[in-house]
Amino acid sequence: MKTKSKSVNILGIETSCDETAAAVVADGRIIKSSLIASQTKLHEKYGGVVPEIASRAHLEKIYPVIAEAMAQAGVTKDDLDAIAVANQPGLTVALVVGVIAAKTLSFAWGKPLIAINHLYAHLQSAMLSEDNLELPAVALIVSGGHTCLYDCRSPLELKLLGSTIDDAAGEAFDKVAAILKLPYPGGPSIEKAAEKGNPDAIKFPRTMLSPQSLDFSFSGIKTAVLYYCRGQDMKGEDKVDSMSRQQIADIAASFQKAVIDVLLEKTHRAAEKIGAKTILLGGGVAANNELRKRLQQMCNSAAPPKKLLVAPKPYCTDNAVMVASLGYHKFKAGLFADLTLEPAAMG
Ligand code: KG4
Ligand code: ZN
């Protein structure tokens, strides 16, 4: 009789920005728990994440969140096979809280420690429910801090093809939302406003850089929105307060379309370059319905059609499921860290 092999339980810890998250995942895909303590309310009034506030809030929440994630999963320390933690990239003062918690528990409980790259973990979210990943894949990561294209040969083999030379896509959404005086965080606010807008109302620039370039630049479009609202010389009156809801909606929809056009064109170029069979989409901006829809259309109309794998909505923005899930692959590959592990701002 064949004996069923014991499942591998990984505790994932994520504190790279403004979410304190912990999760327990079995065998890389069975989500036993996922806890996220969001700090949105704390940063709202500053219009962006304040590193010191983030760090202090992580410190306050990290152990209760881990304890609750284990309780909800119904596991004790004895059931855990390893502890995975996002140690890069992100805000160093935020990452350090998760890293110290993970190292402490690893030492106290005698469990192996696994270091996770937060961006690779975002990609892992797109692969959560896929059994037959057809490779090679092009992976597009669009978050608040990063916009990257990767050549993906396995969950652990990623080669950077291109990235932003200035603002990240999510950062552009957040900054344009601030210009339009829409609520923080900006991405979901722009998406909501854009639903009632005309995406062809205003022709904002699409910065493609050179014809073969796989890099991104979003600062031009952000500046174009700013000039549109305040005049070319920035001396004009801020027109946003006197704009109708429809005008705001038109700006939001036109901006969103311009950003998506650029993301699609670069993803298409990358897919052609490596002969991708699959496109993977992850990161906070991957929660955007219009982006998901248009990328699906692009994949369907490719010859031959490509498979699109998108992170499920709850796992687009920062979470620890993606950390634990990628931790499983590193566990299987025997890729462990030790207690000298440090946080690193750059990935
Ligand atoms: O991945 P994430 O949670 O954090 C980072 O690793 O940066 O991404 C957060 C970013 C923010 O810029 C937020 O505005 C954006 O994702 N975002 C969205 C949407 N939901 C979140 N952008 C566009 N549309 C959305 N629905
Ligand atoms: Zn992230």
Side-chain angles (χ1 to χ4, degrees):
M1 202 176 74
K2 215 174 151 192
T3 49
K4 203 165 164 268
S5 59
K6 184 190 162 293
S7 63
V8 175
N9 286 317
I10 310 274
L11 168 66
I13 298 174
E14 156 64 43
T15 63
S16 68
C17 190
D18 60 343
E19 326 277 1
T20 316
V24 177
V25 176
D27 297 336
R29 63 173 46 175
I30 302 158
I31 301 166
K32 292 192 162 178
S33 66
S34 174
L35 264 282
I36 302 175
S38 170
Q39 303 173 3
T40 302
K41 283 266 162 290
L42 296 176
H43 301 291
E44 200 172 22
K45 63 172 177 266
Y46 303 100
V49 177
V50 182
E52 285 71 21
I53 294 177
S55 184
R56 247 176 283 144
H58 284 311
L59 208 49
E60 214 173 275
K61 290 279 173 15
I62 187 73
Y63 289 111
V65 164
I66 290 171
E68 187 57 28
M70 290 179 62
Q72 284 192 16
V75 299
T76 68
K77 63 179 171 48
D78 299 330
D79 302 312
L80 292 179
D81 293 282
I83 299 171
V85 62
N87 77 310
Q88 62 171 325
L91 300 169
T92 313
V93 290
L95 288 163
V96 72
V97 178
V99 169
I100 289 177
K103 288 202 288 192
T104 306
L105 296 178
S106 158
F107 180 71
W109 293 347
K111 302 289 170 183
L113 181 68
I114 298 171
I116 296 292
N117 180 304
H118 175 87
L119 294 178
Y120 296 6
H122 269 304
L123 260 193
Q124 185 60 29
S125 302
M127 305 182 208
L128 270 176
S129 53
E130 185 58 28
D131 284 321
N132 305 309
L133 185 61
E134 284 187 59
L135 295 164
V138 157
L140 173 65
I141 297 300
V142 270
S143 74
H146 297 84
T147 304
C148 304
L149 278 167
Y150 290 98
D151 175 347
C152 171
R153 305 280 157 165
S154 86
L156 299 175
E157 273 175 90
L158 296 157
K159 195 174 125 223
L160 188 66
L161 296 170
S163 60
T164 183
I165 58 168
D166 42 52
D167 292 350
E171 194 179 352
F173 269 88
D174 293 336
K175 287 178 177 169
V176 166
I179 296 168
L180 298 178
K181 303 185 182 171
L182 294 171
Y184 173 86
S189 296
I190 294 273
E191 177 170 23
K192 191 155 177 284
E195 279 167 15
K196 297 199 174 66
N198 171 7
D200 299 313
I202 307 145
K203 188 87 185 138
F204 289 126
R206 276 91 169 136
T207 309
M208 298 297 177
L209 304 170
S210 66
Q212 265 89 48
S213 171
L214 298 177
D215 289 327
F216 300 89
S217 166
F218 292 109
S219 71
I221 177 168
K222 173 199 67 188
T223 310
V225 176
L226 190 65
Y227 285 171
Y228 187 85
C229 296
R230 307 226 180 119
Q232 280 291 341
D233 53 6
M234 290 290 291
K235 287 188 183 136
E237 215 180 296
D238 183 351
K239 290 185 259 173
V240 171
D241 289 329
S242 56
M243 280 180 190
S244 67
R245 280 186 149 190
Q246 188 57 50
Q247 282 173 301
I248 300 276
D250 287 347
I251 298 173
S254 300
F255 160 78
Q256 182 174 273
K257 186 175 181 189
V259 172
I260 294 174
D261 281 352
V262 174
L263 293 173
L264 260 57
E265 170 61 24
K266 300 289 170 141
T267 307
H268 171 73
R269 284 182 191 177
E272 291 285 296
K273 183 173 173 170
I274 70 155
K277 295 192 171 127
T278 303
I279 306 288
L280 301 163
L281 175 66
V285 184
N288 187 283
N289 288 316
E290 194 59 23
L291 173 60
R292 296 164 88 96
K293 190 178 92 190
R294 290 200 43 212
L295 200 51
Q296 185 66 66
Q297 286 166 351
M298 187 182 98
C299 289
N300 292 347
S301 60
K306 298 188 195 313
K307 188 162 187 173
L308 175 66
L309 297 175
V310 186
K313 285 226 180 152
Y315 308 118
C316 285
T317 44
D318 290 348
N319 66 88
V321 166
M322 63 187 195
V323 174
S325 178
L326 184 54
Y328 170 76
H329 292 280
K330 291 192 96 170
F331 181 90
K332 285 291 201 192
L335 297 170
F336 298 107
D338 61 30
L339 296 180
T340 61
L341 183 70
E342 296 281 353
M346 307 295 280

